[in-house]
Amino acid sequence: MNTTPGTRWDVIVVGAGAGGMSTAIFAARNGARVLVIDAAPEEGGALHLATGQLSAAGTRLQRSKGIEDTPESHLADIVRISKDTADRELVWLAVSNAAATIDWLLDDLAMPVLPEHPVRGQNHEHYSQDRYYWGPDLGRSILAAVRAPFRELIDSGAVTARFGTEVVGLVQDPEAQGGRVTGVVTADGEEHHGTNVVLATGGYNADPALFEKMNGVPAYADASYRFARGAGHRLGVDAGGYTRNHDLYLCSFGSVLEHDDFPAPVLCRPVHWPEMRMPWEIYVNVEGRRFVAEDEPSVDVREHALLRQTDLRRYIVFDGRMLREAPPMIPGWSADDVRAHAGRHPMFHVADDLRTLAASAGIDPDNLVATVEEYNANRDGEDPLGRRFRPLPLAEAPFYAIRVQGMSITSTAGLAVDAGLRVVRPDGTAVPGLYALGELLGSGAFMGNSFCGGMLATPAMTFGRLLGTGILSW
Ligand SMILES: Cc1cc2nc3c(=O)[nH]c(=O)nc-3n(C[C@H](O)[C@H](O)[C@H](O)COP(=O)(O)OP(=O)(O)OC[C@H]3O[C@@H](n4cnc5c(N)ncnc54)[C@H](O)[C@@H]3O)c2cc1C
């Protein structure tokens, strides 16, 4: 049954996050009859939670600040940071059109960004140029900006939206044009028919089983949008498409989780960036060994080192004097807050000697004792891992260990598309009438096995704009 008898939509957009809203806005302005369907009660998707860091080269804001930058340089940075593991074709499509997206957000939609922006980087490996922007309200700054025209189009009738409605299937005509997709089926059994269906359903991080199947590691953290359940991946594969970049998973350098029952919420995020706070502590793995110089300047090197450790887990180990004298390690936490958690929270351990500490935390005791002895003995000489900043030995009881979990809040693997954002089959042919964009394409496509700042939210909106305006072939 068609809920809108007689209506054949030009574009049906599944998902109203950054990518879906942008698609709908530009398609409707281009004269298309647009239906947007979202499982959530309101639009926004991951923007409700995201840090909202954006990146683009050649923007008006950059020019107004005298910053000369090019998409070629942006691409070269992504190739450098990802060691050429990203999809150059999709990255180029994203970065060569990203400036217009930022100009739209900042100028047309008056999205505020922090006064010192653009900057070169934060959290992730730095770019070679200042091309990194975000708003004071993080992802919600983007949401507020994009939601305004989206809502106007709904109010004016140019876009029809169904919220709280889950798309569970695609209507596909096996006889027509190689299995053309002609509509969608919603959970209530209704069908909606259209010429083009755009999947913009985001990632799969809220489905732990799918996360593990896609990435080969457990979904340790519960920190993603709850409707990011991989619907588009399933719909696209059922229609003949396939997923790719499963081997490009990378974890962050980690957060402290609330508990061991995965996926668990994030309790706090100790600072590990030497540019923000030099590490006074040491980091060890489950085996009780250090595995990277704690003051290694490249976050990418630190993340890849953690990726090789058992259970993607590290422990921050320190002593009473470090806790007293070092600057705070956890934003917003005092030394007393750490003491209050130690021995009471499952991730915070304390003991009067290293062996007892190791037993409590699940670290190999012999190795931990040997590691600390070696660290203390070498402090004035050459560190085996090349660490330079070593202000104090670990010598004064009590000793502490905080367990930190490497994790990912975004989805690495994604649905395969061609440069026209058409969902493609393993033989490279397109599934007619079916498009995909946003995080559904996977971070691996845009960042390879690295994290490149702003390279999910910006491409999501950029591809929505391109599809909506018909720059890419419908
Ligand atoms: C904590 C956090 C921080 C982040 N920080 C950054 C950052 O700083 N920079 C950056 O570039 N990226 C960041 N990201 C990622 C970025 O926010 C997302 O990749 C991007 O917003 C995804 O947009 P999207 O439109 O592809 O998907 P989403 O925003 O996930 O939207 C998908 C929409 O589809 C809907 N949906 C899902 N399944 C169905 C279904 N079956 N039927 C109907 N609707 C469905 C969902 O309800 C949702 O509204 C972050 C993500 C998180 C979680």
Side-chain angles (χ1 to χ4, degrees):
M1 184 184 95
N2 193 332
T3 46
T4 42
T7 303
R8 186 175 170 80
W9 305 97
D10 296 314
V11 188
I12 299 175
V13 184
V14 186
M21 280 193 291
S22 305
T23 309
I25 291 167
F26 285 94
R29 285 182 183 169
N30 220 23
R33 282 163 303 171
V34 182
L35 172 66
V36 179
I37 304 178
D38 201 296
E42 60 170 332
E43 68 273 32
L47 291 178
H48 289 281
L49 309 174
T51 319
Q53 296 177 328
L54 305 167
S55 60
T59 62
R60 280 188 216 129
L61 181 62
Q62 282 180 314
R63 283 198 296 279
S64 74
K65 295 196 169 186
I67 300 164
E68 285 180 27
D69 196 10
T70 63
E72 286 81 0
S73 169
H74 196 173
L75 173 66
D77 275 345
I78 290 167
V79 170
R80 168 181 59 85
I81 295 167
S82 72
K83 296 170 209 68
D84 209 2
T85 53
D87 181 328
R88 279 188 186 227
E89 191 176 37
L90 283 183
V91 172
W92 178 247
L93 186 64
V95 299
S96 60
N97 291 287
T101 303
I102 299 295
D103 291 346
W104 171 59
L105 281 172
L106 271 50
D107 298 343
D108 302 357
L109 303 184
M111 180 190 131
V113 292
L114 298 179
E116 67 274 23
H117 285 192
V119 293
R120 210 152 281 217
Q122 186 178 304
N123 299 355
H124 306 308
E125 205 69 14
H126 286 198
Y127 286 123
S128 61
Q129 188 51 278
D130 296 337
R131 65 168 77 96
Y132 211 7
Y133 326 68
W134 58 94
D137 208 14
L138 307 174
R140 286 180 299 277
S141 291
I142 304 171
L143 175 55
V146 179
R147 174 184 259 161
F150 182 65
R151 282 273 147 189
E152 273 170 28
L153 289 164
I154 292 173
D155 292 346
S156 72
V159 168
T160 300
R162 300 261 190 281
F163 292 105
T165 306
E166 189 183 355
V167 170
V168 294
L170 297 176
V171 183
Q172 195 170 15
D173 183 347
E175 306 296 323
Q177 292 178 347
R180 186 174 189 90
V181 170
T182 58
V184 302
V185 185
T186 51
D188 49 17
E190 293 181 344
E191 286 187 8
H192 303 266
H193 298 284
T195 309
N196 303 286
V197 172
V198 180
L199 298 176
T201 50
Y204 48 74
N205 282 39
D207 181 331
L210 186 60
F211 182 98
E212 188 154 359
K213 187 174 160 207
M214 290 288 201
N215 298 334
V217 301
Y220 290 109
D222 173 10
S224 300
Y225 192 54
R226 70 189 172 98
F227 291 94
R229 298 184 198 133
H233 303 74
R234 292 191 179 92
L235 294 168
V237 168
D238 286 350
Y242 68 101
T243 56
R244 60 186 175 187
N245 296 329
H246 300 258
D247 56 336
L248 295 178
Y249 178 77
L250 178 63
C251 61
S252 69
F253 205 53
S255 297
V256 179
L257 300 182
E258 286 275 15
H259 52 70
D260 252 338
D261 187 11
F262 306 130
V266 171
L267 173 70
C268 61
R269 207 170 172 206
V271 175
H272 63 82
W273 294 273
E275 64 269 32
M276 294 183 198
R277 173 193 182 275
M278 289 303 272
W280 290 48
E281 308 78 12
I282 63 167
Y283 306 153
V284 302
N285 54 21
V286 175
E287 291 77 22
R289 298 198 174 90
R290 292 173 61 223
F291 57 91
V292 70
E294 291 81 353
D295 58 358
E296 161 60 52
S298 164
V299 62
D300 185 66
V301 169
R302 298 197 303 277
E303 287 160 348
H304 278 275
L306 183 59
L307 187 66
R308 294 189 290 272
Q309 307 311 312
T310 305
D311 297 335
L312 315 184
R313 188 174 294 176
R314 70 184 167 98
Y315 295 84
I316 306 172
V317 179
F318 51 101
D319 71 355
R321 186 170 169 203
M322 287 176 179
L323 181 59
R324 224 173 35 245
E325 295 186 13
M329 178 196 350
I330 302 172
W333 286 44
S334 67
D336 278 341
D337 291 330
V338 174
R339 285 186 197 99
H341 281 74
R344 293 189 187 90
H345 188 280
M347 304 300 159
F348 289 74
H349 302 272
V350 61
D352 285 335
D353 64 87
L354 288 167
R355 222 165 257 289
T356 313
L357 180 77
S360 155
I363 307 172
D364 181 290
D366 291 342
N367 288 343
L368 181 64
V369 170
T371 295
V372 171
E373 276 172 6
E374 184 191 42
Y375 177 78
N376 289 343
N378 276 340
R379 226 166 40 86
D380 295 326
E382 188 93 353
D383 180 71
L385 294 168
R387 173 172 173 163
R388 307 179 113 185
F389 184 76
R390 290 167 287 171
L392 291 176
L394 269 111
E396 183 189 297
F399 297 94
Y400 297 87
I402 303 177
R403 200 174 105 189
V404 179
Q405 182 63 55
M407 48 176 263
S408 174
I409 47 175
T410 53
S411 300
T412 311
L415 200 58
V417 294
D418 64 14
L421 303 183
R422 289 176 285 248
V423 174
V424 290
R425 304 183 179 94
D427 67 5
T429 59
V431 178
L434 187 63
Y435 299 79
L437 51 77
E439 193 172 324
L440 171 55
L441 306 189
S443 67
F446 300 107
M447 318 177 187
N449 66 352
S450 70
F451 295 115
C452 298
M455 281 306 290
L456 276 173
T458 328
M461 288 181 284
T462 299
F463 285 3
R465 195 172 55 73
L466 294 178
L467 263 188
T469 45
I471 289 173
L472 301 170
S473 56
W474 281 105

